[in-house]
Amino acid sequence: MGRSNRAGRARTETEPNPAAPGGPSGAARTRSQGPLARQVGSGLAELVPDRDRPHAWTLLVDGAPQSLVDLADPTYLGFEYQRRLGHVIDLAAAPGKPVTVLHLGGGALTLARYVAATRPRSRQQVAEIDTALTELVRAELPLERGWQVKVRGADARAVLERTPEGAVDLVIADVFAGARVPAHCATVEFATLAARALAPGGRYAVNITDGSALLFARSQVATLRAVFPEVCLVADPAVLRGKRFGNLILVAAQQPLPLDELSRRVASDSYFGRVEHGRSLADFTAGAVPATDATAAPSPAPPPGVFH
């Protein structure tokens, strides 16, 4: 779920990406049709044309930005959190190598499109509980023909529980109920299920939001550190200082993470960010305790006006 300002591209080319074969598998929405608003299971979904990119659309649900999709260039990642998850995807394997990905939370399928375009022949499953939202996205912002993306209309945790052990290279959790991460998807038990689903060398990436004292973020770091030996956090320094509400990306694995390359990519991005790990991450946690199914609470609601 998008919580931050827009940014530049994740790729340097200016023409539509040639990796997308055959065009969308359906009649894609055009700018001339204007905005669209429709009630879905999670609220009022809106598709708003981008001011600067003629084939790009922003998905909002109840006024909160969820996803940005450029139908002409699926490698374009316009939201801060999506760009940072894009770095994780880029480092998941050798460039262009197919991977198996489980997306928990779908939105407009921006990251699934990115994986399909940058890593052809990848196999992807998406868990999106709001089937009406998925139907809207697939009708108005259709996927390219030939992409192996399966969307399941089910709760993210239920899908994770049914995922076979060692089945995927990457689990990406971007699970929001309204504008908050639900408690049952932010626990040690949930992270343990994600760890079980990962193949050797696999990685778990999580998008959360927080602000002010960052109590939820600190608890989430402690939660992942209780399950995974390797954890890092990526965020804007202003968010880390509690100066503004925003996104934080957590990445976890059983093996060492590519911290040097991830740090280089984050530092050179058009969004200013920082990677915390090791001692600095332990200091950030500041004695927070892991969240369990018995103790977890959802992430805090965004402050009024944060999306305006």
Side-chain angles (χ1 to χ4, degrees):
M1 174 173 287
R3 293 286 171 264
S4 307
N5 294 330
R6 296 263 313 279
R9 342 168 34 88
R11 290 288 182 267
T12 57
E13 66 268 20
T14 57
E15 295 303 315
N17 177 31
S25 54
R29 191 167 190 83
T30 64
R31 180 183 291 269
S32 64
Q33 293 174 277
L36 177 149
R38 186 175 301 170
Q39 199 70 31
V40 296
S42 50
L44 179 66
E46 299 174 85
L47 290 176
V48 180
D50 187 83
R51 294 190 305 270
D52 304 317
R53 304 179 68 87
H55 303 285
W57 296 82
T58 298
L59 168 67
L60 302 96
V61 177
D62 285 343
Q66 301 272 330
S67 306
L68 176 67
V69 170
D70 189 332
L71 292 170
D73 184 1
T75 68
Y76 176 75
L77 299 177
F79 286 172
E80 175 188 286
Y81 87 94
Q82 290 177 338
R83 291 174 66 79
R84 291 174 178 156
L85 288 172
H87 298 322
V88 176
I89 292 167
D90 289 343
L91 296 173
K97 181 181 179 181
V99 292
T100 303
V101 186
L102 174 61
H103 301 265
L104 303 175
L109 307 175
T110 303
L111 291 171
R113 298 170 200 265
Y114 182 82
V115 172
T118 61
R119 298 184 176 277
R121 302 181 305 283
S122 291
R123 292 184 294 115
Q124 302 186 76
Q125 181 172 215
V126 180
E128 173 53 66
I129 196 169
D130 192 338
T131 55
L133 176 61
T134 298
E135 291 171 3
L136 173 66
V137 167
R138 300 198 76 153
E140 302 293 340
L141 308 176
L143 299 175
E144 305 289 348
R145 286 187 290 270
W147 284 352
Q148 299 180 57
V149 179
K150 179 181 179 181
V151 183
R152 299 185 63 179
D155 176 78
R157 180 152 173 175
V159 171
L160 191 56
E161 288 171 345
R162 294 195 294 269
T163 301
E165 183 175 354
V168 300
D169 301 307
L170 188 59
V171 176
I172 300 176
D174 186 19
V175 186
F176 283 81
R180 306 176 74 180
V181 179
H184 75 291
C185 294
T187 67
V188 166
E189 292 85 350
F190 188 87
T192 300
L193 290 170
R196 183 180 66 89
L198 291 174
R203 292 167 190 158
Y204 178 44
V206 188
N207 176 38
I208 64 171
T209 55
D210 203 357
S212 189
L214 298 171
L215 298 179
F216 182 78
R218 298 179 198 279
S219 174
Q220 286 305 289
V221 172
T223 298
L224 293 195
R225 284 167 59 94
V227 177
F228 293 92
E230 301 291 335
V231 179
C232 74
L233 178 153
V234 187
D236 186 318
V239 174
L240 290 173
R241 292 194 300 269
K243 298 298 185 181
R244 72 173 180 89
F245 188 91
N247 296 75
L248 304 96
I249 301 299
L250 304 177
V251 188
Q254 300 294 346
Q255 292 80 25
L257 295 164
L259 294 170
D260 290 344
E261 181 60 19
L262 179 61
S263 298
R264 186 190 69 78
R265 290 174 182 241
V266 169
S268 62
D269 204 339
S270 53
Y271 277 124
F272 187 51
R274 193 168 74 215
V275 177
E276 299 286 356
H277 59 92
R279 179 60 184 270
S280 66
L281 187 60
D283 291 343
F284 172 82
T285 306
V289 298
T292 67
D293 283 350
T295 63
S299 66
V306 71
F307 303 128
H308 304 286

